[in-house]
């Protein structure tokens, strides 16, 4: 069951706010009956009419993509850069769940299910996200310990992260490591690294929970299986209790 205004907005007709206005103005019918109540809930199969025109209810779809570098996660770009949404051939109005930077590649979920998206990205739902990080310096033991404890960023302490060093290249002053964080703050990995005076030179998200894109080329995408959607929802909810 979903709120009537949410279903009208999801059909693409108008915003949720405008849909509320339509309901209050008596312009919406469910199964032939005019509804004035804003909290009214509709179920699958209910026929919704606005000004006596039947609206098409949108199917919920869930994709995972291996986001290529040089693509953006916003829906439009004033600089005309390629958006991730434009790479997916589907009729539904999908959007990315959270953001990866222009120069970051890797696991990205896209959907038209707002509630699901919110569960995955909301800070109180702690779903582990692992990044493959390359930086222009040598990460020392104290710095690793601090990442694992929490770093005081300007928007607060980070939750304890996990660090797995993959390679320290002393000759070229580079460290390659896996970093698992439980949050998804803006530019979080870059800011954690900048805290030590280093820069991220390459960033790839390897996984969100169990979801990986190892077998997909950059730019490839696929529909999530219903069980994967279910498991992601469950993991996000379990993370909430942490
Ligand atoms: N952290 C960042 O700094 N950038 C990303 O794209 C993802 C996480």
């Amino acid at each position: 069951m979903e709120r009537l205004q949410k279903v009208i907005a999801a059909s693409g007709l108008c915003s949720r706010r405008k849909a509320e206005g339509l309901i209050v103005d008596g312009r919406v019918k469910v199964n032939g009956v005019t509804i004035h109540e804003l909290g009214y809930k509709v179920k699958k199969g209910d026929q919704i009419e606005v000004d006596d025109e039947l609206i098409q209810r949108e199917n919920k779809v869930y994709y995972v993509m291996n986001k290529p570098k040089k693509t953006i996660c916003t829906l439009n770009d004033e600089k005309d850069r390629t958006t991730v949404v434009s790479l997916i051939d589907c009729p539904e109005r999908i959007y990315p769940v959270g953001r990866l930077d222009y120069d970051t590649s890797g696991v990205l979920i896209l959907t038209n299910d707002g509630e699901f998206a919110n569960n995955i990205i909301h800070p109180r739902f702690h779903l582990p996200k692992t990044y493959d990080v390359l930086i222009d310096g040598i990460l020392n033991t104290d710095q690793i310990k601090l990442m694992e404890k929490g770093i005081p960023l300007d928007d607060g302490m980070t939750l304890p992260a996990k660090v797995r060093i993959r390679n320290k290249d002393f000759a070229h002053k580079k460290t390659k490591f896996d970093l698992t964080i439980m949050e998804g703050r803006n530019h979080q990995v870059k800011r954690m690294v900048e805290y030590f005076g280093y820069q991220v030179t390459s960033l790839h998200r390897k996984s969100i929970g169990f979801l990986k894109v190892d077998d997909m080329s950059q730019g490839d995408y696929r529909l999530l299986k219903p069980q994967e959607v279910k498991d992601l929802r469950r993991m996000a909810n379990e993370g909430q209790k942490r």
Side-chain angles (χ1 to χ4, degrees), residues 99-101 104 131 185-191 203:
R99 289 195 181 168
L100 288 179
D101 294 334
T104 303
Y131 292 86
R185 301 195 212 167
N186 252 353
H187 311 301
Q188 181 167 342
V189 176
K190 289 178 186 165
R191 289 192 292 138
L203 190 58

Side-chain angles (χ1 to χ4, degrees), residues 3-187:
R3 284 173 178 259
L4 183 53
Q5 57 266 40
K6 188 175 164 193
V7 176
I8 296 173
S11 76
L13 187 75
C14 58
S15 68
R16 206 181 288 196
R17 178 75 51 87
K18 287 222 171 96
E20 288 174 357
L22 295 172
I23 297 169
V24 171
D25 292 345
R27 293 166 61 186
V28 179
K29 287 184 191 152
V30 176
N31 302 327
V33 178
T34 304
I35 303 296
H36 296 276
E37 191 194 324
L38 282 183
Y40 191 88
K41 291 204 170 154
V42 285
K43 54 185 183 315
K44 256 192 188 159
D46 279 346
Q47 303 245 309
I48 303 165
E49 288 165 84
V50 174
D51 294 335
D52 298 321
E53 291 273 342
L54 208 56
I55 65 159
Q56 296 296 324
R57 293 177 72 171
E58 209 176 47
N59 279 331
K60 299 273 190 275
V61 288
Y62 308 85
Y63 289 92
V64 59
M65 168 186 272
N66 184 355
K67 176 193 177 289
K69 292 184 191 240
K70 300 193 178 159
T71 55
I72 57 156
C73 286
T74 51
L75 297 183
N76 301 297
D77 184 43
E78 73 284 357
K79 294 187 199 147
D80 230 16
R81 292 174 295 184
T82 307
T83 66
V84 287
V85 166
S86 73
L87 301 177
I88 296 192
D89 184 17
C90 83
E92 288 85 9
R93 294 167 316 122
I94 54 169
Y95 45 86
V97 176
R99 289 195 181 168
L100 288 179
D101 294 334
Y102 182 66
D103 51 358
T104 303
S105 56
V107 182
L108 183 69
I109 299 172
L110 300 102
T111 184
N112 56 351
D113 182 343
E115 199 185 330
F116 173 83
N118 192 42
N119 278 9
I120 302 294
I121 57 175
H122 197 283
R124 74 171 185 276
F125 299 101
H126 305 308
L127 205 53
K129 297 164 192 87
T130 300
Y131 292 86
D132 180 348
V133 193
L134 184 65
I135 65 169
D136 63 352
I138 301 296
L139 210 54
N140 67 36
T141 314
D142 288 345
Q143 291 165 337
I144 295 170
K145 276 191 188 146
L146 199 57
M147 280 195 169
E148 291 181 333
K149 200 165 150 229
I151 293 186
L153 297 181
D154 48 14
D155 54 355
M157 287 293 280
T158 58
L159 287 174
K162 280 193 195 120
V163 178
R164 183 164 162 241
I165 299 295
R166 302 190 73 86
N167 185 42
K168 284 188 184 182
D169 178 347
F170 289 94
H172 300 98
K173 291 206 174 72
K174 287 179 186 172
T175 308
K176 191 171 165 52
F177 60 101
D178 286 350
L179 178 67
T180 303
I181 57 175
M182 306 303 288
E183 312 153 276
R185 301 195 212 167
N186 252 353
H187 311 301

